[in-house]
Amino acid sequence: MNGLRDLAAPFVVPGPCGVAVRDRLKHLTPQDERVLRAVGEHQGALASRDLKARCADGLDHSADTWAARKRELTKESSSRIAGAITKATHDQWALARRCHAAHIQNLAAGIKTLRHRLSLPLGEPGTKRAAGGYRSKSEWFRKSRRLAMLEARHTAAVADWQAGRVRVVRGGRRLLNTRHHLTQAGLTEEQWRERWEAERWFIAADGESGKRFGNETIRVTPDGEVSVKLPVPLAHLANARHGRYVLASTVAFAHRGAEWADRITANRAVAYRIHLDTDRGRWYLTASWQRPAVKTIPLETARARGMIGVDTNADHFAAYRLDRHGNPVGEPHRFGYDLSGSAGHRDAQIRHALTRLINWAVRVGVAAIGIEDLDFTAEKTREKHGGRKRFRQLISGIPTGKLKARLVSMAAEQGLAIVAVDPAYTSLWGAQHWQKPLTTPHRKLSRHDAAGIAIGRRALGHPVRRRTAPPPHDQSDRAGHRTAQAGPGNRGREGIRPPTTDRPPGGPSPSGKRKRGPSASNTVRDAPSTQQWAQDPLTHTG
């Protein structure tokens, strides 16, 4: 295909399969906070010890070693708490293992690029597919040293992978490194220590279907009363029967509260987690549960009422509405956001922009939103883009994974489907085929707006270009119908365009000016003649 890479077919993204809601634990007494801190510290120490044991097992892990670890934890907590800790440990080890594999892949990609560029002569120009040679001998020498360093890192990483060795930090490696840069972070040692300890606490419990209110360890009643089953060493702190501690605070989930109440009333599993926000000094309770996988609608059904194509950029979404034939409708829309600042600020910005996008999609009546199936894992390396530091920072700052997950979950609540398309050439072809034709003195179409049209057309199953070349012979379709226009069975495809102003049929326009109506063709070939032919009997000869 003229050197172009093959495009993946568009598909409907599966809907969410889980729910999480959060509420604040207000009006906690000093005794409540002391108990929660004691529980978090005790169970956090057990979780750290269990994670150390799991990492020491490596690839020798088995069901027997799992059972042995759980028995040891049960002595100092309970069977349910031990099960929650070991499950969290396995999830954390598996995540570290996947990250280790991605790290090895990134190192291999960097080594391949460096070897290719070092093999080229100095100053060799690059192509669209691969970078060229280095510009000078000094740059070539520095890159050769970097190649040796990456090869050493790759060898060590592969050895760790084969041995099943992973490196995990409970509390986060970034927060651990912040300890050495307290001035830049604007923290004191006491503030950092409080945040570090809070991140390493473990106050969580998995749900159990059939148990009272869906959880036996952390129980929340329909009235919002929260009670915690204390571990055995802390049983003396209980203020209720059976070693439970009832908090003075109550919760009321404003979001999905009815769904949560239905689950606990039916004794269906609900998982809970209690954590402390040290910046605000507030305690929160998070409830989560699984839902049956939302059945995605067929792709043709999603395309039936048109599509909104969305181009994701570093600071905004560029969206354009298209009808089911792929024609742009109305004006382009932009939904801006700011990805600077803290993680909470970035998340709020993305959520606000997606909310406005989804509300607009509901108002215009489409059934789906088309987005690019972005994955920048192969495009963020410094070896590929060299000195283009701003570009690398740009693509690294776009939260593609979180953005897509949040968009899918938010759109599912409004009955909208998400259609993911191949991102190849959308900006290039959109600007080539749509930017100039749609630009008017009153509308300046950007490259991102044109990319939104390209994404929407690809999601609808149409080619990006506006029309194909005319058929041979003449302007009729005797040689075959055009492939990039409405089919012959679509009503109104050759109809008269409605007037720009509303006026009764045959009446004057609101401006008082006469508007010329459509007229029939004057050629015999295009329109049949209305003349009546009759034979003169006087000219008839027998």
Side-chain angles (χ1 to χ4, degrees):
M1 186 179 168
N2 299 328
L4 302 178
R5 73 174 180 87
D6 296 334
L7 302 180
F11 62 94
V12 179
V13 181
C17 59
V19 174
V21 294
R22 188 180 71 171
D23 191 27
R24 180 184 171 188
L25 293 172
K26 300 180 180 179
H27 311 299
L28 290 175
T29 64
Q31 178 64 15
D32 293 342
E33 295 196 14
R34 283 194 293 269
V35 171
L36 290 178
R37 288 175 180 271
V39 173
E41 292 174 1
H42 176 74
Q43 296 182 170
L46 297 180
S48 299
R49 191 174 68 190
D50 184 67
L51 180 61
K52 180 180 179 180
R54 175 64 186 89
C55 292
D57 291 341
L59 299 179
D60 296 332
H61 169 72
S62 64
D64 295 336
T65 58
W66 185 358
R69 289 181 10 240
K70 186 176 179 180
R71 284 194 298 269
E72 292 298 324
L73 293 175
T74 303
K75 299 177 183 178
E76 302 184 49
S77 55
S78 66
S79 177
R80 293 184 177 90
I81 295 176
I85 291 176
T86 54
K87 181 179 181 300
T89 296
H90 293 164
D91 293 341
Q92 198 166 10
W93 189 90
L95 177 60
R97 184 77 169 171
R98 293 193 298 269
C99 293
H100 194 178
H103 177 60
I104 293 175
Q105 184 178 1
N106 291 338
L107 290 175
I111 292 173
K112 180 180 178 181
T113 302
L114 287 173
R115 287 176 177 173
H116 169 73
R117 298 191 68 181
L118 290 172
S119 65
L120 299 177
L122 295 178
E124 179 77 13
T127 63
K128 292 183 177 180
R129 302 299 177 188
Y134 292 109
R135 293 168 293 182
S136 62
K137 290 184 178 180
S138 61
E139 185 180 9
W140 189 96
F141 176 78
R142 292 194 302 270
K143 294 300 182 180
S144 66
R145 296 300 86 201
R146 178 166 176 79
L147 174 61
M149 179 183 63
L150 292 185
E151 288 177 341
R153 291 180 180 177
H154 183 266
T155 302
V158 171
D160 289 343
W161 172 266
Q162 294 174 350
R165 187 181 304 113
V166 298
R167 291 171 173 83
V168 184
V169 179
R170 291 198 69 248
R173 183 174 300 176
R174 177 175 298 181
L175 182 59
L176 176 64
N177 293 332
T178 304
R179 174 64 180 83
H180 307 289
H181 308 280
L182 296 178
T183 304
Q184 293 84 341
L187 298 173
T188 63
E189 184 176 353
E190 292 75 14
Q191 292 173 339
W192 178 88
R193 178 66 60 183
E194 183 182 9
R195 182 181 300 182
W196 172 252
E197 293 176 351
E199 290 294 332
R200 292 168 61 86
W201 290 344
F202 188 92
I203 315 177
D206 297 330
E208 300 175 85
S209 294
K211 297 298 180 180
R212 189 179 181 187
F213 302 131
N215 198 309
E216 194 70 19
T217 304
I218 301 178
R219 181 182 298 166
V220 183
T221 66
D223 297 334
E225 181 185 84
V226 182
S227 62
V228 180
K229 176 69 174 180
L230 299 178
V232 175
L234 302 177
H236 62 280
L237 299 176
N239 61 358
R241 299 175 57 189
H242 307 297
R244 307 192 68 88
Y245 187 89
V246 180
L247 301 177
S249 174
T250 59
V251 295
F253 298 105
H255 181 57
R256 301 183 185 274
E259 184 177 353
W260 167 80
D262 292 341
R263 290 190 66 88
I264 64 171
T265 303
N267 295 332
R268 300 176 63 186
V270 178
Y272 295 104
R273 173 176 175 261
I274 300 176
H275 64 281
L276 171 64
D277 186 343
T278 56
D279 293 336
R280 298 181 177 181
R282 298 175 178 178
W283 291 85
Y284 292 93
L285 173 69
T286 302
S288 59
W289 59 89
Q290 291 184 345
R291 301 171 63 185
V294 179
K295 187 176 181 181
T296 57
I297 63 176
L299 186 57
E300 293 302 324
T301 304
R303 294 169 172 172
R305 289 184 288 169
M307 187 80 60
I308 289 181
V310 179
D311 181 45
T312 304
N313 300 284
D315 58 351
H316 72 279
F317 296 127
Y320 219 125
R321 178 191 173 193
L322 289 82
D323 62 15
R324 63 190 183 94
H325 304 300
N327 302 313
V329 178
E331 301 292 331
H333 285 66
R334 284 197 173 193
F335 306 95
Y337 47 81
D338 181 15
L339 296 182
S340 62
S342 63
H345 176 263
R346 295 194 299 269
D347 185 71
Q349 289 283 309
I350 291 293
R351 185 169 60 249
H352 181 55
L354 291 178
T355 300
R356 290 184 291 152
L357 170 64
I358 292 174
N359 290 341
W360 176 55
V362 172
R363 286 197 305 270
V364 298
V366 299
I369 297 175
I371 63 171
E372 294 175 300
D373 190 13
L374 292 174
D375 184 10
F376 290 133
T377 54
E379 282 78 16
K380 289 188 288 190
T381 59
R382 56 186 289 188
E383 284 73 28
K384 180 173 182 179
H385 298 288
R388 301 172 62 187
K389 186 175 181 180
R390 291 187 61 185
F391 180 74
R392 289 190 282 116
Q393 292 176 344
L394 177 69
I395 60 179
S396 298
I398 302 177
T400 54
K402 292 183 178 179
L403 189 150
K404 186 164 60 176
R406 185 173 292 277
L407 176 59
V408 169
S409 61
M410 295 175 65
E413 297 303 317
Q414 300 294 336
L416 296 174
I418 302 299
V419 180
V421 302
D422 196 310
Y425 316 114
T426 53
S427 297
L428 178 65
W429 291 351
Q432 178 182 355
H433 297 291
W434 292 97
Q435 186 175 8
K436 184 177 180 180
L438 292 182
T439 300
T440 66
H442 304 287
R443 176 178 58 196
K444 302 298 182 182
L445 199 73
S446 69
R447 185 183 182 93
H448 303 301
D449 299 328
I453 298 176
I455 294 169
R457 288 182 64 87
R458 186 170 289 176
L460 289 168
H462 300 306
V464 174
R465 67 183 304 169
R466 296 169 62 226
R467 299 187 73 179
T468 58
H473 307 312
D474 48 42
Q475 294 183 355
S476 62
D477 286 350
R478 68 183 64 187
H481 193 69
R482 297 179 188 269
T483 58
Q485 69 183 60
N490 296 319
R491 295 174 58 89
R493 82 189 218 283
E494 295 179 353
I496 301 171
R497 183 173 297 178
T500 57
T501 57
D502 297 331
R503 60 185 178 91
S509 64
S511 61
K513 296 181 180 181
R514 178 179 178 270
K515 289 187 176 294
R516 183 177 179 181
S519 60
S521 175
N522 294 325
T523 61
V524 176
R525 185 188 66 172
D526 293 339
S529 174
T530 57
Q531 184 178 359
Q532 299 294 328
W533 296 93
Q535 187 175 15
D536 189 351
L538 298 178
T539 60
H540 179 70
T541 58

